[in-house]
Amino acid sequence: MTQITLALSKGRIFEETLPLLAAAGIVPSESPESSRKLIIATNRPDVRLIIVRASDVPTYVQHGAADLGIAGKDVLIEHGGEGLYQPVDLEIAKCRMMVATPVGFDYQAAVRRGARLRVATKYVNIARLHFAQKGVHIDLIKLYGSMELAPLVGLADVIVDLVSTGGTLKANNLVAVEEILPISSRLVVNQAALKLKHDILQPIIAAFRGAVLQ
Ligand code: ATP
Ligand code: MG
């Protein structure tokens, strides 16, 4: 029997993917939040899930360790998307990639006078491209989390981060000053698997696509 493996991350992506899986007739046999298992069986003997870090999903799919995966556009841009087919925007885990600064920092004025900006972010490729397109010179400071702290302690002038409600920014006296791009999660498929396992993958991709439109 041909087996397929779907790579998912815990948290919001797993939760928001459950209805899409259901549309494809896939029901996980347990929750990764409670079970701690990294390989999760489903009601379908030919489908299993693996639970990986959100930013590792493209890597598992690119190398064929997973046939399919679900990853944020942020993660896909940072990864580069090599070897990945991206057939469906699932319109889940929606947020926006934004530039944010401390309240009172005049970002537009700094840009106008050609100031060099210190930018702290986890999303170095997105940030580099954005400021290059604006013609703004930056010093990029790579962080792995809690970007909001950086401007508060003088590590950076601005941050590039994902924003949904803006609550975390507000709690830290920061404000979003520019949208870079809207973000949602995409279905990604290993290009070789799409050919070799077409008969089993195609109906799953179609079910996901159909579930998005509702
Ligand atoms: P980790 O939290 O383990 O460092 P991560 O932040 O990349 O990793 P999640 O927080 O689970 O992982 O985010 C997974 C994806 O969900 C992100 O890649 C992004 O596309 C999306 N996302 C992140 N933050 C939000 C948010 N506040 N609202 C909606 N979607 C978000
Ligand atoms: Mg996170």
Side-chain angles (χ1 to χ4, degrees):
M1 180 185 58
T2 306
Q3 275 268 356
I4 69 140
T5 301
L6 170 67
L8 288 175
S9 54
K10 277 200 271 197
R12 65 171 65 84
I13 290 195
F14 186 84
E15 296 304 322
E16 295 189 39
T17 299
L18 284 174
L20 302 172
L21 289 173
I26 300 166
V27 182
S29 56
E30 52 200 323
S31 158
E33 315 292 343
S34 52
S35 84
R36 297 181 180 220
K37 281 190 190 164
L38 299 177
I39 300 181
I40 297 195
T42 73
N43 62 316
R44 280 178 54 168
D46 59 341
V47 179
R48 66 176 184 173
L49 312 180
I50 61 172
I51 306 302
V52 304
R53 190 80 185 259
S55 47
D56 290 335
V57 167
T59 306
Y60 279 84
V61 177
Q62 173 188 11
H63 292 277
D67 302 294
L68 303 155
I70 295 177
K73 186 161 187 210
D74 51 317
V75 162
L76 291 168
I77 296 174
E78 292 299 321
H79 171 271
E82 206 185 316
L84 302 177
Y85 173 57
Q86 299 181 28
V88 191
D89 179 353
L90 299 171
E91 294 185 36
I92 60 170
K94 281 186 165 186
C95 50
R96 294 182 294 164
M97 189 66 73
M98 306 280 293
V99 179
T101 72
V103 170
F105 179 88
D106 194 340
Y107 173 70
Q108 301 303 343
V111 167
R112 271 198 307 272
R113 67 170 188 275
R116 194 172 182 92
L117 291 178
R118 294 171 304 156
V119 179
T121 189
K122 182 165 139 182
Y123 309 99
V124 290
N125 292 337
I126 292 171
R128 201 179 278 119
L129 189 64
H130 176 69
F131 289 106
Q133 282 169 348
K134 285 176 69 77
V136 172
H137 293 285
I138 60 168
D139 292 316
L140 209 46
I141 300 160
K142 164 83 186 188
L143 293 177
Y144 293 87
S146 302
M147 268 79 83
E148 296 85 1
L149 181 62
L152 306 181
V153 295
L155 179 63
D157 304 306
V158 312
I159 63 171
V160 167
D161 199 3
L162 293 174
V163 179
S164 51
T165 62
T168 310
L169 291 180
K170 199 165 182 198
N172 290 291
N173 213 24
L174 302 175
V175 62
V177 292
E178 188 167 69
E179 173 162 346
I180 300 179
L181 80 163
I183 298 289
S184 57
S185 286
R186 315 291 159 119
L187 181 63
V188 296
V189 185
N190 176 278
Q191 286 176 349
L194 187 63
K195 296 197 186 86
L196 296 169
K197 301 183 179 179
H198 186 268
D199 291 353
I200 178 165
L201 289 176
Q202 202 50 55
I204 295 175
I205 296 168
F208 275 40
R209 190 179 277 127
V212 174
L213 301 176
Q214 286 157 26

